[in-house]
Structure formats: structure tokens, C-alpha cells
Amino acid sequence: MTHTFRDGPTRRPLTAFARLHHQAATPLLLPNAWDHASAAALTAQGFQAIGTTSLGVAAAAGLPDGAAATLDATLALARRLGEGSFLFTVDAEGGFSEDPEDVARLARELSDAGAAGINLEDGRPDGTLAPAELHAAKIAAVKASAPALFVNARTDTHWLGVQEEETVARLAVYERAGADGVFVPGLSDPDAIATMTAALTVPLNILYTPAGPTLAELAALGVRRVSLGSLLYRSALAAAVATATAIRDGHRPPAGLGTLSYAEVQALGPPARPSRRRPPRPGLP
């Protein structure tokens, strides 16, 4: 595959997914899916790309999020999505390892499965941050192993509420290591966002929150990617519980909770795989 490159501190591949971060008018709005059906339903509504949600993948498997417990589930989902025509990026927590070479091998597997990008976070399960140099080493190893994979380097300074004053410095380290974009979940103050975008040379990703700036306001601040994170998964769970409890309590389901028909959900399934069954021999039933 041939890639073109754009100028900058690091020469980065301008893939189809990377180009979505440089649209003229609006940021890339990235909804996050947790299985094939949710990915297909979102794509059917015209979303150009989707992400996966580590919380949704973990919760659906009965596992904790952010504890490096969902490596197999994450890979399985990536391989399933890669069988379709989705343009997708994978939330891989901290890479499920502290060893940059392990993270690089994972990145290669995700790329081979069809992923266009990967999210790597520096937050740890104990509420601390990994050393910036270690996270940078993971980023550099991933870019060396899978150059076309869009690395969205996440810092959890604002998400965890620790070392917030180091945010810009950490992002600069991750940029120099080869990150294609950077992500600061928990950051919603417009002035702080504007300061970040002015200091960066790669696209800034912000996590949408209903109480925070609108998509148009984020665009005006220079944000190039807006993720929905686990919002859709949590909304889906809430709608399911609300429907079930309303029926149990003798009420009709809440107004406004639309549903897809059985046939519509069936149509979201993956393409039929060729049958492996051998045809019967001539003369045999």
C-alpha cells in the first residue's frame, strides 16, 4: 500500500483515516461501538469512522475496564470489525503491557486485522500516570511496527485529576515520539482547550460531555476530533433497563425510546461467510 506524507516534526502517513482529522469545517465526530451490531448501526447512519469503547467491551465481557483484562476481547472485536468495510480505531487502554515491544506486537495485530488507528492511554489502574518517557516509548514502538496505524496518544491528567499542569509538556513528548493525534479526556474548559490547540502541531481529540462545549464550539476552538467514549454504551444500557422496568411496573416503555425492527437488526449482521461444507459426490445423497 502506498502512503503520502505530510510535513511536520515527524513524517506521518496521510491515510484515509488521518485525512478525516483535517476536514475544513467540522471535527471528526467519532462514535464508539462495543460490538459488530453497534458499529454497523452507526455506520449505516453515515458516520465516516467509528471507535471502540474499552468500557463497553469490558463490561459486555464481564471484565473491569482499564485493568489490562480485555486483550483477547479487544482483538476479537477488531478482527470481527475487520471482516466488514468499517473504518475503525481501537481503544487499547495502555496497550495491555508496560513493555513497548509487547504493545508494538499488539499494534501490528490490530493493523493486520484492519484497524486504522489505536488509542493508547498513560493512565494506570491505580490512578497514577505512567512516566511520559515510557508512554512515548510505546508510541515510538507502535509507529515503527505499524507506520500506517493512526496513534491517538491519550493523557489522563484531566481524567484522573492528577498532574494537570504537566498536560502540555506530556503532549509535546508524545508528539515527538510520533503520535498522530493527542487525546485529553476530561478537559472541557474552553480557554484550556484553546491553549492546547495553539501549542499542538497534531490534531487534538476531546471527549464530548453533554454539559461541555457543543460540537460547533469545539470546532471553533480548533478541536479536530470529538469522541463519544462510553456514552452510547451507557445510554443503551439505561434505555434497556428503563424499558424492562416500565413493562414490569405496568407502564408502557418511555416515549422517545425508538427501537429497530428484528429485520433491521438482522441486516446489521456480518457478510455471510462462504460455506466450508463439501458438495456431495455424484451419486450420493
Side-chain angles (χ1 to χ4, degrees):
M1 182 180 296
T2 300
H3 303 287
T4 56
F5 291 80
R6 60 180 180 270
D7 294 331
T10 303
R11 295 171 66 81
R12 296 175 172 90
L14 192 59
T15 62
F17 184 63
R19 282 195 292 273
L20 294 178
H21 297 71
H22 298 275
Q23 301 174 108
T26 60
L28 167 63
L29 179 60
L30 193 73
N32 298 76
W34 55 93
D35 60 11
H36 183 279
S38 55
L42 291 164
T43 301
Q45 291 301 310
F47 287 97
Q48 297 171 292
I50 59 163
T52 65
T53 162
S54 65
L55 175 63
V57 172
L63 296 169
D65 182 33
T70 56
L71 172 60
D72 291 342
T74 298
L75 278 170
L77 177 57
R79 289 169 180 147
R80 177 58 59 86
L81 296 180
E83 293 175 354
S85 57
F86 304 111
L87 190 58
F88 68 98
T89 182
V90 176
D91 185 344
E93 299 185 6
F96 304 106
S97 175
E98 294 291 79
D99 184 342
E101 292 309 312
D102 288 344
V103 180
R105 281 190 288 272
L106 169 63
R108 171 53 63 186
E109 288 187 80
L110 292 173
S111 181
D112 289 346
I118 184 174
N119 264 33
L120 290 175
E121 63 196 50
D122 61 11
R124 285 174 160 167
D126 63 359
T128 64
L129 299 175
E133 295 75 15
L134 173 60
H135 201 59
K138 292 181 182 182
I139 295 165
V142 167
K143 293 306 293 185
S145 178
L149 201 63
F150 188 103
V151 176
N152 198 40
R154 166 176 159 171
T155 185
D156 281 345
T157 51
H158 285 261
W159 186 250
L160 298 175
V162 295
Q163 298 169 238
E164 292 184 9
E165 70 284 356
E166 296 181 6
T167 302
V168 172
R170 279 181 171 263
L171 297 182
V173 171
Y174 302 160
E175 278 188 323
R176 290 194 295 271
D180 300 281
V182 291
F183 185 21
V184 190
L187 177 64
S188 60
D189 177 71
D191 291 338
I193 292 173
T195 298
M196 298 277 179
T197 57
L200 293 167
T201 59
V202 297
L204 175 64
N205 183 186
I206 290 295
L207 180 67
Y208 173 83
T209 59
T214 65
L215 189 63
E217 289 168 341
L218 290 170
L221 292 169
V223 174
R224 304 313 310 151
R225 170 166 154 179
V226 178
S227 298
L228 298 185
S230 64
L231 176 62
L232 302 184
Y233 181 74
R234 292 182 287 112
S235 297
L237 283 181
V241 171
T243 299
T245 54
I247 295 170
R248 180 198 64 191
D249 297 340
H251 307 300
R252 296 189 183 277
L257 289 180
T259 61
L260 298 179
S261 70
Y262 182 91
E264 287 171 325
V265 174
Q266 278 283 78
L268 297 175
R273 299 180 182 179
S275 173
R276 296 176 180 265
R277 184 178 178 182
R278 294 181 180 178
R281 297 180 192 174
L284 294 177

